[in-house]
Short mmCIF file of all heavy atoms in Angstrom, two decimals:
data_model
loop_
_atom_site.label_atom_id
_atom_site.label_comp_id
_atom_site.label_asym_id
_atom_site.label_seq_id
_atom_site.Cartn_x
_atom_site.Cartn_y
_atom_site.Cartn_z
N TYR U 222 -43.24 0.84 -0.98
CA TYR U 222 -44.15 0.38 -2.03
C TYR U 222 -43.36 -0.31 -3.13
O TYR U 222 -42.22 0.08 -3.41
CB TYR U 222 -44.91 1.56 -2.65
CG TYR U 222 -45.75 2.36 -1.70
CD1 TYR U 222 -45.22 3.44 -1.01
CD2 TYR U 222 -47.09 2.04 -1.50
CE1 TYR U 222 -46.01 4.20 -0.14
CE2 TYR U 222 -47.89 2.78 -0.64
CZ TYR U 222 -47.33 3.86 0.04
OH TYR U 222 -48.10 4.60 0.90
N PRO U 223 -43.97 -1.29 -3.79
CA PRO U 223 -43.32 -1.83 -5.00
C PRO U 223 -43.15 -0.71 -6.02
O PRO U 223 -44.01 0.16 -6.16
CB PRO U 223 -44.32 -2.88 -5.49
CG PRO U 223 -45.14 -3.24 -4.29
CD PRO U 223 -45.24 -1.98 -3.48
N SER U 224 -42.03 -0.73 -6.73
CA SER U 224 -41.73 0.36 -7.67
C SER U 224 -40.91 -0.16 -8.83
O SER U 224 -40.12 -1.10 -8.68
CB SER U 224 -40.96 1.48 -6.95
OG SER U 224 -40.53 2.48 -7.86
N LEU U 225 -41.09 0.46 -10.00
CA LEU U 225 -40.19 0.19 -11.11
C LEU U 225 -38.76 0.59 -10.75
O LEU U 225 -37.81 0.03 -11.27
CB LEU U 225 -40.64 0.96 -12.36
CG LEU U 225 -41.89 0.40 -13.07
CD1 LEU U 225 -42.35 1.37 -14.15
CD2 LEU U 225 -41.62 -0.98 -13.64
N ALA U 226 -38.64 1.55 -9.85
CA ALA U 226 -37.33 1.99 -9.36
C ALA U 226 -37.05 1.33 -8.01
O ALA U 226 -36.78 1.99 -7.01
CB ALA U 226 -37.29 3.51 -9.24
N ASP U 227 -37.11 -0.01 -7.98
CA ASP U 227 -37.03 -0.73 -6.70
C ASP U 227 -35.71 -0.48 -5.98
O ASP U 227 -35.65 -0.55 -4.75
CB ASP U 227 -37.24 -2.23 -6.91
CG ASP U 227 -36.27 -2.81 -7.92
OD1 ASP U 227 -35.17 -3.22 -7.52
OD2 ASP U 227 -36.61 -2.87 -9.11
N SER U 228 -34.64 -0.17 -6.72
CA SER U 228 -33.35 0.09 -6.06
C SER U 228 -33.37 1.35 -5.20
O SER U 228 -32.48 1.54 -4.37
CB SER U 228 -32.25 0.24 -7.12
OG SER U 228 -32.01 -0.99 -7.77
N LEU U 229 -34.38 2.20 -5.40
CA LEU U 229 -34.47 3.43 -4.62
C LEU U 229 -35.33 3.25 -3.37
O LEU U 229 -35.55 4.20 -2.63
CB LEU U 229 -35.02 4.57 -5.47
CG LEU U 229 -34.22 4.90 -6.73
CD1 LEU U 229 -34.82 6.11 -7.43
CD2 LEU U 229 -32.76 5.14 -6.41
N GLY U 230 -35.81 2.04 -3.12
CA GLY U 230 -36.65 1.80 -1.96
C GLY U 230 -35.84 1.70 -0.68
O GLY U 230 -34.61 1.66 -0.68
N GLY U 231 -36.56 1.62 0.44
CA GLY U 231 -35.91 1.45 1.74
C GLY U 231 -35.77 2.75 2.50
O GLY U 231 -35.83 3.85 1.95
N GLY U 232 -35.58 2.61 3.81
CA GLY U 232 -35.41 3.77 4.67
C GLY U 232 -33.97 4.25 4.70
O GLY U 232 -33.09 3.66 4.07
N ILE U 233 -33.73 5.31 5.45
CA ILE U 233 -32.37 5.85 5.57
C ILE U 233 -31.77 5.53 6.92
O ILE U 233 -30.62 5.89 7.19
CB ILE U 233 -32.33 7.37 5.32
CG1 ILE U 233 -33.00 8.14 6.47
CG2 ILE U 233 -32.96 7.72 3.99
CD1 ILE U 233 -32.72 9.62 6.44
N GLY U 234 -32.52 4.83 7.79
CA GLY U 234 -32.02 4.51 9.12
C GLY U 234 -32.34 5.62 10.10
O GLY U 234 -32.04 6.79 9.85
N MET U 235 -32.96 5.26 11.20
CA MET U 235 -33.37 6.27 12.18
C MET U 235 -32.19 6.91 12.90
O MET U 235 -32.33 7.95 13.54
CB MET U 235 -34.33 5.64 13.19
CG MET U 235 -35.63 5.12 12.57
SD MET U 235 -36.51 6.42 11.65
CE MET U 235 -37.04 7.45 13.01
N HIS U 236 -31.03 6.29 12.83
CA HIS U 236 -29.83 6.84 13.47
C HIS U 236 -28.79 7.25 12.43
O HIS U 236 -27.58 7.19 12.69
CB HIS U 236 -29.26 5.82 14.46
CG HIS U 236 -30.24 5.36 15.50
ND1 HIS U 236 -30.70 6.19 16.51
CD2 HIS U 236 -30.88 4.18 15.66
CE1 HIS U 236 -31.56 5.53 17.26
NE2 HIS U 236 -31.70 4.31 16.77
N ASN U 237 -29.25 7.66 11.27
CA ASN U 237 -28.37 8.06 10.18
C ASN U 237 -27.42 9.17 10.61
O ASN U 237 -27.85 10.23 11.08
CB ASN U 237 -29.23 8.51 8.99
CG ASN U 237 -28.42 8.76 7.73
OD1 ASN U 237 -27.56 9.63 7.69
ND2 ASN U 237 -28.71 7.99 6.69
N ARG U 238 -26.12 8.94 10.43
CA ARG U 238 -25.10 9.89 10.89
C ARG U 238 -24.48 10.70 9.75
O ARG U 238 -23.97 11.79 9.98
CB ARG U 238 -23.96 9.15 11.61
CG ARG U 238 -24.38 8.32 12.79
CD ARG U 238 -23.21 7.44 13.27
NE ARG U 238 -22.81 6.50 12.23
CZ ARG U 238 -21.63 6.49 11.63
NH1 ARG U 238 -20.71 7.39 11.95
NH2 ARG U 238 -21.35 5.60 10.70
N LEU U 239 -24.50 10.15 8.53
CA LEU U 239 -23.71 10.74 7.46
C LEU U 239 -24.52 11.15 6.24
O LEU U 239 -24.49 12.32 5.84
CB LEU U 239 -22.61 9.75 7.04
CG LEU U 239 -21.58 9.37 8.10
CD1 LEU U 239 -20.68 8.25 7.58
CD2 LEU U 239 -20.76 10.58 8.50
N SER U 240 -25.21 10.20 5.62
CA SER U 240 -25.84 10.53 4.33
C SER U 240 -26.98 11.53 4.49
O SER U 240 -27.20 12.36 3.61
CB SER U 240 -26.31 9.26 3.60
OG SER U 240 -27.33 8.60 4.31
N PHE U 241 -27.71 11.46 5.61
CA PHE U 241 -28.80 12.43 5.81
C PHE U 241 -28.28 13.86 5.91
O PHE U 241 -28.72 14.73 5.14
CB PHE U 241 -29.63 12.07 7.03
CG PHE U 241 -30.60 13.15 7.45
CD1 PHE U 241 -31.71 13.44 6.68
CD2 PHE U 241 -30.37 13.90 8.59
CE1 PHE U 241 -32.59 14.45 7.06
CE2 PHE U 241 -31.23 14.91 8.97
CZ PHE U 241 -32.35 15.19 8.20
N PRO U 242 -27.34 14.17 6.83
CA PRO U 242 -26.89 15.56 6.88
C PRO U 242 -26.16 16.00 5.61
O PRO U 242 -26.25 17.17 5.22
CB PRO U 242 -25.96 15.60 8.10
CG PRO U 242 -25.58 14.17 8.36
CD PRO U 242 -26.76 13.36 7.92
N MET U 243 -25.46 15.08 4.95
CA MET U 243 -24.76 15.47 3.73
C MET U 243 -25.76 15.79 2.61
O MET U 243 -25.60 16.80 1.91
CB MET U 243 -23.80 14.36 3.30
CG MET U 243 -22.60 14.19 4.23
SD MET U 243 -21.50 12.84 3.73
CE MET U 243 -20.70 13.58 2.30
N CYS U 244 -26.78 14.96 2.45
CA CYS U 244 -27.79 15.26 1.42
C CYS U 244 -28.55 16.53 1.76
O CYS U 244 -28.82 17.36 0.88
CB CYS U 244 -28.76 14.08 1.28
SG CYS U 244 -28.05 12.65 0.43
N ARG U 245 -28.89 16.70 3.02
CA ARG U 245 -29.60 17.91 3.45
C ARG U 245 -28.79 19.16 3.11
O ARG U 245 -29.34 20.16 2.64
CB ARG U 245 -29.85 17.82 4.96
CG ARG U 245 -30.54 19.04 5.57
CD ARG U 245 -30.38 19.01 7.09
NE ARG U 245 -28.98 19.09 7.48
CZ ARG U 245 -28.50 18.66 8.65
NH1 ARG U 245 -29.30 18.08 9.52
NH2 ARG U 245 -27.20 18.77 8.91
N ASP U 246 -27.50 19.11 3.33
CA ASP U 246 -26.67 20.30 3.19
C ASP U 246 -26.13 20.51 1.77
O ASP U 246 -25.83 21.65 1.39
CB ASP U 246 -25.49 20.22 4.17
CG ASP U 246 -25.92 20.21 5.62
OD1 ASP U 246 -27.08 20.59 5.91
OD2 ASP U 246 -25.11 19.79 6.48
N LEU U 247 -25.99 19.43 0.99
CA LEU U 247 -25.29 19.53 -0.28
C LEU U 247 -26.19 19.49 -1.51
O LEU U 247 -25.82 20.03 -2.56
CB LEU U 247 -24.26 18.40 -0.39
CG LEU U 247 -23.08 18.47 0.59
CD1 LEU U 247 -22.25 17.20 0.52
CD2 LEU U 247 -22.22 19.70 0.31
N LEU U 248 -27.36 18.86 -1.41
CA LEU U 248 -28.23 18.80 -2.58
C LEU U 248 -28.93 20.13 -2.79
O LEU U 248 -29.46 20.73 -1.85
CB LEU U 248 -29.26 17.69 -2.43
CG LEU U 248 -28.72 16.26 -2.45
CD1 LEU U 248 -29.87 15.26 -2.27
CD2 LEU U 248 -27.94 15.96 -3.72
N ASP U 249 -28.96 20.58 -4.01
CA ASP U 249 -29.62 21.84 -4.33
C ASP U 249 -31.14 21.69 -4.40
O ASP U 249 -31.87 22.66 -4.20
CB ASP U 249 -29.10 22.39 -5.66
CG ASP U 249 -27.63 22.76 -5.56
OD1 ASP U 249 -27.32 23.80 -4.96
OD2 ASP U 249 -26.78 21.99 -6.06
N ASP U 250 -31.59 20.48 -4.68
CA ASP U 250 -33.03 20.23 -4.76
C ASP U 250 -33.26 18.73 -4.78
O ASP U 250 -32.33 17.95 -5.05
CB ASP U 250 -33.60 20.87 -6.04
CG ASP U 250 -35.12 21.00 -6.02
OD1 ASP U 250 -35.73 20.71 -4.96
OD2 ASP U 250 -35.69 21.40 -7.05
N ILE U 251 -34.48 18.32 -4.48
CA ILE U 251 -34.92 16.94 -4.65
C ILE U 251 -36.19 16.97 -5.48
O ILE U 251 -37.11 17.74 -5.20
CB ILE U 251 -35.18 16.24 -3.30
CG1 ILE U 251 -33.89 16.13 -2.50
CG2 ILE U 251 -35.79 14.85 -3.53
CD1 ILE U 251 -34.08 15.56 -1.11
N VAL U 252 -36.25 16.15 -6.52
CA VAL U 252 -37.38 16.11 -7.43
C VAL U 252 -37.97 14.71 -7.42
O VAL U 252 -37.23 13.71 -7.44
CB VAL U 252 -36.94 16.50 -8.86
CG1 VAL U 252 -38.07 16.30 -9.86
CG2 VAL U 252 -36.47 17.96 -8.88
N LEU U 253 -39.30 14.63 -7.39
CA LEU U 253 -40.01 13.35 -7.37
C LEU U 253 -40.63 13.07 -8.72
O LEU U 253 -41.18 13.97 -9.37
CB LEU U 253 -41.11 13.36 -6.30
CG LEU U 253 -40.70 13.77 -4.89
CD1 LEU U 253 -41.91 13.69 -3.96
CD2 LEU U 253 -39.57 12.90 -4.37
N VAL U 254 -40.55 11.81 -9.16
CA VAL U 254 -41.18 11.40 -10.42
C VAL U 254 -42.10 10.21 -10.15
O VAL U 254 -41.89 9.42 -9.24
CB VAL U 254 -40.12 11.03 -11.49
CG1 VAL U 254 -39.34 12.27 -11.91
CG2 VAL U 254 -39.18 9.95 -11.00
N SER U 255 -43.14 10.10 -10.97
CA SER U 255 -44.15 9.06 -10.78
C SER U 255 -43.73 7.76 -11.47
O SER U 255 -42.81 7.73 -12.30
CB SER U 255 -45.49 9.53 -11.35
OG SER U 255 -45.42 9.58 -12.77
N GLU U 256 -44.45 6.69 -11.15
CA GLU U 256 -44.18 5.40 -11.79
C GLU U 256 -44.44 5.48 -13.29
O GLU U 256 -43.71 4.89 -14.10
CB GLU U 256 -45.05 4.31 -11.16
CG GLU U 256 -44.74 4.04 -9.70
CD GLU U 256 -43.34 3.52 -9.44
OE1 GLU U 256 -42.80 2.80 -10.31
OE2 GLU U 256 -42.77 3.84 -8.38
N GLU U 257 -45.48 6.22 -13.69
CA GLU U 257 -45.75 6.39 -15.12
C GLU U 257 -44.61 7.11 -15.82
O GLU U 257 -44.26 6.77 -16.96
CB GLU U 257 -47.07 7.16 -15.30
CG GLU U 257 -48.31 6.41 -14.92
CD GLU U 257 -48.59 6.39 -13.41
OE1 GLU U 257 -47.85 7.07 -12.65
OE2 GLU U 257 -49.53 5.69 -13.00
N GLU U 258 -44.03 8.08 -15.15
CA GLU U 258 -42.91 8.83 -15.73
C GLU U 258 -41.65 7.97 -15.81
O GLU U 258 -40.87 8.08 -16.77
CB GLU U 258 -42.68 10.10 -14.93
CG GLU U 258 -43.82 11.11 -15.10
CD GLU U 258 -43.89 12.18 -14.03
OE1 GLU U 258 -43.14 12.08 -13.02
OE2 GLU U 258 -44.70 13.11 -14.19
N ILE U 259 -41.46 7.10 -14.83
CA ILE U 259 -40.33 6.17 -14.86
C ILE U 259 -40.51 5.17 -16.00
O ILE U 259 -39.56 4.86 -16.74
CB ILE U 259 -40.19 5.44 -13.50
CG1 ILE U 259 -39.80 6.44 -12.40
CG2 ILE U 259 -39.16 4.32 -13.59
CD1 ILE U 259 -39.90 5.88 -11.00
N TYR U 260 -41.72 4.66 -16.15
CA TYR U 260 -42.06 3.72 -17.24
C TYR U 260 -41.67 4.32 -18.58
O TYR U 260 -40.98 3.69 -19.39
CB TYR U 260 -43.57 3.46 -17.16
CG TYR U 260 -44.16 2.45 -18.11
CD1 TYR U 260 -44.61 1.21 -17.65
CD2 TYR U 260 -44.32 2.72 -19.47
CE1 TYR U 260 -45.19 0.28 -18.50
CE2 TYR U 260 -44.90 1.81 -20.33
CZ TYR U 260 -45.34 0.58 -19.84
OH TYR U 260 -45.92 -0.34 -20.69
N ARG U 261 -42.10 5.55 -18.83
CA ARG U 261 -41.81 6.22 -20.09
C ARG U 261 -40.30 6.43 -20.27
O ARG U 261 -39.75 6.20 -21.36
CB ARG U 261 -42.52 7.57 -20.12
CG ARG U 261 -42.15 8.49 -21.28
CD ARG U 261 -42.63 7.96 -22.61
NE ARG U 261 -42.37 8.91 -23.69
CZ ARG U 261 -42.67 8.68 -24.96
NH1 ARG U 261 -43.25 7.55 -25.30
NH2 ARG U 261 -42.39 9.58 -25.89
N ALA U 262 -39.60 6.84 -19.21
CA ALA U 262 -38.17 7.11 -19.32
C ALA U 262 -37.37 5.82 -19.55
O ALA U 262 -36.34 5.85 -20.24
CB ALA U 262 -37.67 7.82 -18.06
N MET U 263 -37.83 4.70 -19.00
CA MET U 263 -37.18 3.42 -19.30
C MET U 263 -37.28 3.12 -20.79
O MET U 263 -36.30 2.64 -21.40
CB MET U 263 -37.84 2.29 -18.49
CG MET U 263 -37.52 2.30 -17.01
SD MET U 263 -38.39 0.98 -16.10
CE MET U 263 -37.51 -0.47 -16.70
N GLN U 264 -38.43 3.40 -21.38
CA GLN U 264 -38.58 3.19 -22.82
C GLN U 264 -37.66 4.11 -23.62
O GLN U 264 -37.02 3.69 -24.59
CB GLN U 264 -40.04 3.42 -23.22
CG GLN U 264 -41.02 2.39 -22.69
CD GLN U 264 -42.43 2.66 -23.15
OE1 GLN U 264 -42.84 3.81 -23.32
NE2 GLN U 264 -43.20 1.60 -23.36
#
Side-chain angles (χ1 to χ4, degrees):
Y222 300 89
S224 174
L225 286 172
D227 55 88
S228 293
L229 302 184
I233 70 167
M235 298 304 290
H236 304 290
N237 188 297
R238 302 170 298 116
L239 298 173
S240 65
F241 169 71
M243 291 178 73
C244 286
R245 178 196 62 203
D246 297 342
L247 293 172
L248 292 180
D249 295 285
D250 196 7
I251 296 175
V252 173
L253 308 181
V254 293
S255 70
E256 296 297 328
E257 290 80 6
E258 291 162 351
I259 294 169
Y260 184 109
R261 171 68 175 178
M263 288 178 70
Q264 292 181 327

